[in-house]
Amino acid sequence: MGLLPISSNTKLVPDEPARTRFAPSPTGYLHLGSLRTALFNYLLAKRTGGQFLLRIEDTDQKRTIPGAEERLYSDLQWAALEWDEGPIVGGPYGPYRQSERTALYHKHANDLVHSGHAYRCFCSAGRLDTLARQRNQAGLPLGYDRQCVDIPAEEAEERAAKGEIHVVRLKADEYPKFKDFVIGTTGQNQDGQKKFLKTINRIYDDPILLKSDGNPTYHLANVVDDHHMKITHVIRGTEWLASTPMHVALYNAFDWTPPQFGHVPLLVDLNGQKLSKRNSNIDISFYRDSGILPSTLLNYAALLGWSHNQKSEVFSLKDMEELFNLKITKGNTIVSPEKMWFLQKAHTKRCVAENGPEFQKLVGDVTEAAEGRGNIRANLPVKETVTSLLRYDGGHFTTPAQFLDRNWSFFTSSLDRTPYTLTQSDLEIGDPTPPLVALQTVATILTLVPESHWNVETHRTNLDCIPYASKAFKKELYHYLRWALLAGAPGPGMPQIMEVLGRDETDCEYVQ
């Protein structure tokens, strides 16, 4: 496709190669929103000549779904989003699975304790629950009262060494504002302390970094990994926007430079309701199993928030790698199924024209679906028929099921025709109703073409050369031919229909 010149605005395209990452948790499956996040990170890396990393954030073992990690790999590979570093492919900053990096998190949590930016908290779950209930009953905000912050370092270390259950908390004295490349400067620049008139009511955010079971929280692992993997840009959903000031505070506590953050808008339905990942119809497997092309889904996902200056909205992955920038909308993005069907038809036409592996895969999928239906004409070359139909009618393709419904008359062994009725439409004054015998005669003549010349061009020429008595007769003839060959079903043009059916089948249908 012809692409318009690309803006050189450095605010929209980083000057240096970007290292981005997609960091899903195997507690669920890839869905439309997470695919968009992965795609935006992938495209920014490719646009700038950087690297796209895949990292598995599997610290929450209790919620991990068996097989979810493997399914994640296959879904990304199906979508052609290949990662430069990560599980399977490796890389210089591995391992890329958080459950294999626990020692690193412990080291950095201890570093924060020793520097005074974190402390060990030995409060029991019962005490914390009592504190929360008392504050709730008093109408006060929830939080932690820093009961353990003044425990001498030597005592805290000794108690921890003896195996006393505890967590490590960040001493959050400030949550700074930060510049988001989608939203702009944001955050509350708030003091980490939630102050009230009486000192006794003072509470603190002080988030947990290491849990009592020794596993890191998402916040610690996320920051440590992004730093060690040299991530320069983080693109993620707005659900993480509230956590980002805490992450920036963590970077400051470590004296590390944070990456640049961008939070993409929520995906909502036509009623403005947030799409839930629990809805099966936004799961990537739903789109794949329905027959949506990977190129269609990527194009669709990219348009859910990304703004571009092109005249067309139909992009291949290569197009998007060349065009992508950080011009992303701030408001919620409505997911419109109609746009996807438009893109599906456009990408089908493109892959048919390219006649490459994507087209061959599509032919295979439709062929398999056709053979699974049964009741197919004897000796029908199913794959060849599918190939021809996609070439001639691919512009109407949305899914294999829909395409076969539309064109099933080419396959079925039992074509169900109702008795033919003359349309008698568009007759001008004085025009006679075309006699049925005349239509049958012309149809028979059209079958006299030898097998060696049975092709679209020959049929088109013959149909054009017929001396039609009137426009009404021509229209009636085409109506009659479609009734005879396909029982009136929709499909490609008449020359294409005759070529796909073949000489013998066309002749047989006319005789019947």
Side-chain angles (χ1 to χ4, degrees):
M1 60 178 291
L3 303 180
L4 295 178
I6 299 171
S7 170
S8 60
N9 189 336
T10 55
K11 293 182 179 179
L12 298 180
V13 182
D15 291 327
E16 300 297 326
R19 280 180 64 83
T20 65
R21 49 76 166 173
F22 177 52
S25 170
T27 56
Y29 301 119
L30 196 65
H31 55 84
L32 185 60
S34 52
L35 177 70
R36 179 187 63 168
T37 299
L39 176 63
F40 283 3
N41 282 283
Y42 170 92
L43 292 176
L44 182 61
K46 298 307 174 184
R47 171 71 195 277
T48 60
Q51 297 82 40
F52 170 62
L53 284 67
L54 176 64
R55 185 173 73 226
I56 303 299
E57 300 195 337
D58 60 345
T59 56
D60 191 349
Q61 293 292 319
K62 293 181 179 179
R63 295 177 56 228
T64 295
I65 297 176
E69 185 176 326
E70 291 71 22
R71 166 91 164 268
L72 172 72
Y73 300 151
S74 64
D75 284 345
L76 288 174
Q77 290 166 340
W78 170 80
L81 295 184
E82 300 290 346
W83 51 100
D84 301 301
E85 299 175 25
I88 302 176
V89 302
Y93 301 103
Y96 295 89
R97 190 178 289 106
Q98 285 188 339
S99 60
E100 300 171 3
R101 300 171 66 85
T102 304
L104 183 65
Y105 308 136
H106 277 255
K107 174 188 179 302
H108 285 295
N110 288 329
D111 289 345
L112 289 179
V113 170
H114 295 151
S115 67
H117 290 293
Y119 59 94
R120 301 185 190 280
C121 172
F122 297 89
C123 291
S124 67
R127 180 184 184 276
L128 295 175
D129 181 63
T130 299
L131 176 65
R133 282 190 288 105
Q134 288 176 345
R135 298 193 66 83
N136 184 56
Q137 291 170 1
L140 298 173
L142 302 182
Y144 180 59
D145 59 0
R146 283 191 175 175
Q147 170 81 10
C148 298
V149 74
D150 292 325
I151 296 176
E154 296 79 4
E155 179 186 338
E157 292 300 318
E158 183 179 353
R159 291 170 66 176
K162 290 180 178 179
E164 186 172 346
I165 294 175
H166 69 285
V167 300
V168 174
R169 291 181 181 271
L170 175 69
K171 190 177 180 182
D173 291 324
E174 182 183 27
Y175 282 169
K177 288 185 177 182
F178 69 97
K179 187 174 183 179
D180 187 293
F181 55 73
V182 175
I183 299 171
T185 300
T186 187
Q188 299 177 359
N189 198 28
Q190 64 185 19
D191 192 315
Q193 306 177 15
K194 298 178 180 176
K195 297 179 179 178
F196 301 92
L197 293 177
K198 295 181 180 180
T199 303
I200 194 172
N201 286 331
R202 185 175 296 176
I203 58 170
Y204 306 81
D205 286 318
D206 289 3
I208 293 174
L209 303 179
L210 275 184
K211 295 180 283 189
S212 59
D213 62 3
N215 284 318
T217 60
Y218 164 81
H219 308 293
L220 175 65
N222 185 277
V223 167
V224 169
D225 286 345
D226 281 350
H227 172 73
H228 278 275
M229 295 178 182
K230 303 186 184 302
I231 299 302
T232 64
H233 294 75
V234 173
I235 302 177
R236 57 189 180 188
T238 52
E239 63 267 27
W240 295 111
L241 183 60
S243 299
T244 305
M246 182 201 308
H247 296 172
V248 176
L250 254 177
Y251 278 102
N252 292 343
F254 282 122
D255 196 23
W256 295 340
T257 300
Q260 295 187 49
F261 293 98
H263 292 83
V264 295
L266 290 175
L267 299 183
V268 297
D269 60 23
L270 296 176
N271 296 318
Q273 298 299 310
K274 178 184 175 181
L275 292 185
S276 171
K277 62 183 180 181
R278 294 180 178 85
N279 295 345
S280 61
N281 61 352
I282 66 168
D283 191 300
I284 299 307
S285 64
F286 169 81
Y287 296 108
R288 183 185 61 237
D289 296 344
S290 296
I292 302 300
L293 298 174
S295 52
T296 296
L297 194 58
L298 289 178
N299 191 168
Y300 182 55
L303 297 178
L304 297 174
W306 172 51
S307 299
H308 60 86
N309 65 347
Q310 303 298 301
K311 294 180 179 178
S312 171
E313 290 193 318
V314 180
F315 303 117
S316 67
L317 183 57
K318 184 176 184 300
D319 292 334
M320 293 188 288
E321 290 175 6
E322 297 174 2
L323 290 169
F324 186 75
N325 57 33
L326 296 177
K327 189 177 181 181
I328 298 171
T329 57
K330 299 179 182 180
N332 292 344
T333 302
I334 296 175
V335 176
S336 171
E338 289 73 18
K339 175 64 69 67
M340 185 175 65
W341 298 128
F342 163 77
L343 293 172
Q344 176 79 334
K345 293 175 181 179
H347 280 283
T348 301
K349 291 174 67 175
R350 175 193 53 76
C351 86
V352 168
E354 291 176 355
N355 194 27
E358 189 178 17
F359 177 60
Q360 297 307 318
K361 174 68 166 56
L362 180 60
V363 169
D365 290 345
V366 179
T367 298
E368 181 179 355
E371 292 174 339
R373 290 191 173 195
N375 193 32
I376 294 177
R377 284 193 286 113
N379 302 318
L380 176 72
V382 179
K383 184 175 181 180
E384 290 77 1
T385 301
V386 167
T387 300
S388 297
L389 286 173
L390 284 171
R391 294 191 190 283
Y392 294 140
D393 201 41
H396 291 93
F397 180 92
T398 54
T399 68
Q402 167 273 336
F403 190 72
L404 288 174
D405 286 344
R406 174 181 169 86
N407 290 289
W408 192 240
S409 295
F410 286 93
F411 300 89
T412 181
S413 60
S414 55
L415 197 61
D416 183 20
R417 298 188 195 85
T418 58
Y420 185 74
T421 303
L422 293 169
T423 61
Q424 297 184 350
S425 61
D426 297 334
L427 290 177
E428 298 180 5
I429 297 176
D431 280 348
T433 300
L436 180 58
V437 66
L439 301 175
Q440 295 170 331
T441 300
V442 174
T444 301
I445 293 173
L446 291 173
T447 64
L448 300 178
V449 176
E451 185 71 35
S452 59
H453 290 74
W454 193 268
N455 54 54
V456 169
E457 290 305 317
T458 299
H459 300 317
R460 182 180 291 117
T461 300
N462 288 345
L463 286 165
D464 288 344
C465 291
I466 294 173
Y468 299 105
S470 64
K471 292 181 180 179
F473 183 86
K474 182 176 182 179
K475 182 174 182 178
E476 192 70 48
L477 175 64
Y478 276 76
H479 183 263
Y480 173 77
L481 295 177
R482 186 172 292 275
W483 169 84
L485 298 178
L486 300 181
M494 191 51 57
Q496 291 82 1
I497 291 172
M498 295 174 69
E499 180 185 282
V500 173
L501 285 173
R503 186 180 187 281
D504 291 343
E505 184 62 26
T506 300
D507 186 43
C508 178
E509 296 297 346
Y510 283 155
V511 170
Q512 291 181 12

